[in-house]
Amino acid sequence: MAVDNIFTIAETCLHHTDISEKLKLTHHARELAMKNQLSFNETGSVQAITETKFPDKPLLLAPRDMPKRRINSSSGKAAFFHALAHIEFVAIYLAWDILYRFRGLPVEFYQDWLQVADEEAQHFSLIRNHLLEMGCDYGDLPAHSGLWEHAEDTAVGVLARLAIVPRCMEARGLDVTPQMIEKFKKQGDMQSVNLLTRVLEDEVGHVKIGSFWFKTLCQQQGFEHQQKYRELIEKFYNGKPKGPFNRELRIIAGFSNAEIDWLEER
Ligand SMILES: [Fe+2]
Ligand SMILES: [Fe+2]
């Protein structure tokens, strides 16, 4: 019997656009891995990141062309959750891509990012259902085109990818989500509060996985990880990410106080 292979499944998820297939296959891969029925043997050549395929909808717009939204109207709330659904959708690709693209790493690396891919797929489904209850589906509104650019820029190396994706983009979620939870709490929208709380909890885990692998691989390659982090942010982020930073959650997610101090320095 042919055994399913993680890299074959990754390639299918990255190169096909059908959303429900992607969600099903992602969950299937995680289940196989948990039953020890997934092969992690390297197979196939790695395709260029420009081969990645996204669905026709949503229409992607540059951040400056995105309509402004406020969550205190129902259309604003739908726009907020649509933007979040898009972030989660791209996050599924980001998790698949990091494990597909960077080979020769310990099997635990691949298991960790498969777990992340499956959790991102769950986040996407939960948020999409929440949107549907508001009368809006994923793809009905335009979405931000910038998220995947960081993946393309950092396809050159796993340390750059880890610094920019989990330890910069996903870490940003730890800073802003608690404030959003407070806003929905004030509105008495407990469904949104519970949803965002669940997502935030998992996201702390994703950044923590990112920090763990960043430090482990820096050490293996003989780099001081804090110094390397600063270098990679300066090179790939185009200046420092904006604060305010949630120190408490970032520390849980594997940042050092010195790294956060450096981020805060202007
Ligand atoms: Fe997520
Ligand atoms: Fe995530």
Side-chain angles (χ1 to χ4, degrees):
M1 196 184 81
V3 177
D4 285 288
N5 180 283
I6 191 168
F7 301 109
T8 312
I9 297 179
E11 188 162 305
T12 306
C13 286
L14 291 166
H15 294 171
H16 292 86
T17 57
D18 188 291
I19 296 177
S20 60
E21 274 302 304
K22 198 182 308 294
L23 299 175
K24 249 190 264 164
L25 201 52
T26 302
H27 189 59
H28 178 63
R30 177 86 197 287
E31 280 189 333
L32 288 176
M34 295 203 311
K35 289 189 281 187
N36 272 326
Q37 289 171 1
L38 187 66
S39 162
F40 291 82
N41 291 337
E42 296 212 11
T43 179
S45 50
V46 180
Q47 306 296 311
I49 196 160
T50 46
E51 293 300 310
T52 313
K53 300 209 171 38
F54 289 92
D56 294 341
K57 284 193 334 178
L59 173 72
L60 299 179
L61 296 179
R64 63 175 178 280
D65 298 327
M66 287 291 292
K68 293 270 173 281
R69 55 191 149 79
R70 297 189 132 263
I71 60 155
N72 40 18
S73 69
S74 61
S75 63
K77 198 185 274 192
F80 168 77
F81 280 102
H82 191 279
L84 199 56
H86 183 62
I87 291 172
E88 299 294 353
F89 189 66
V90 176
I92 305 171
Y93 278 81
L94 289 168
W96 276 121
D97 191 77
I98 196 173
L99 71 78
Y100 171 70
R101 188 155 308 286
F102 303 108
R103 303 287 174 99
L105 296 165
V107 75
E108 292 80 9
F109 177 89
Y110 301 101
Q111 285 166 336
D112 279 352
W113 294 107
L114 176 58
Q115 176 193 328
V116 173
D118 188 35
E119 288 176 359
E120 304 297 15
Q122 291 171 36
H123 298 168
F124 173 76
S125 300
L126 289 167
I127 293 165
R128 187 187 197 179
N129 290 340
H130 192 50
L131 260 182
L132 285 168
E133 284 174 20
M134 294 178 229
C136 176
D137 194 7
Y138 177 61
D140 286 353
L141 301 174
H144 185 316
S145 66
L147 301 175
W148 191 247
E149 284 166 17
H150 289 302
E152 292 185 329
D153 293 348
T154 57
V156 288
V158 69
L159 292 179
R161 176 64 65 80
L162 288 164
I164 296 297
V165 174
R167 302 198 87 221
C168 205
M169 291 167 68
E170 290 192 279
R172 181 83 193 122
L174 311 190
D175 305 325
V176 299
T177 312
Q179 300 162 19
M180 294 311 299
I181 292 174
E182 281 314 305
K183 284 188 187 168
F184 285 115
K185 235 180 227 170
K186 280 200 186 111
Q187 292 184 7
D189 178 356
M190 292 315 285
Q191 212 188 340
S192 296
V193 169
N194 294 338
L195 180 54
L196 291 179
T197 305
R198 151 76 203 273
V199 168
L200 179 60
E201 216 176 274
D202 289 347
E203 291 306 330
V204 174
H206 300 175
V207 179
K208 198 171 177 178
I209 289 171
S211 294
F212 171 80
W213 286 109
F214 185 75
K215 289 180 212 173
T216 303
L217 299 177
C218 274
Q219 196 181 18
Q220 280 177 9
Q221 296 178 26
F223 296 119
E224 197 287 305
H225 71 87
Q226 299 182 103
Q227 165 72 24
K228 193 70 186 166
Y229 180 68
R230 293 194 294 266
E231 259 174 53
L232 291 167
I233 295 297
E234 277 163 357
K235 180 163 177 200
F236 289 95
Y237 195 80
N238 242 341
K240 278 190 207 175
K242 271 194 223 128
F245 302 98
N246 187 319
R247 191 173 286 261
E248 196 189 330
L249 291 182
R250 280 180 179 253
I251 294 283
I252 298 171
F255 278 83
S256 65
N257 273 309
E259 279 172 331
I260 303 168
D261 290 344
W262 174 76
L263 286 168
E264 281 176 345
E265 265 168 38
R266 287 292 128 182

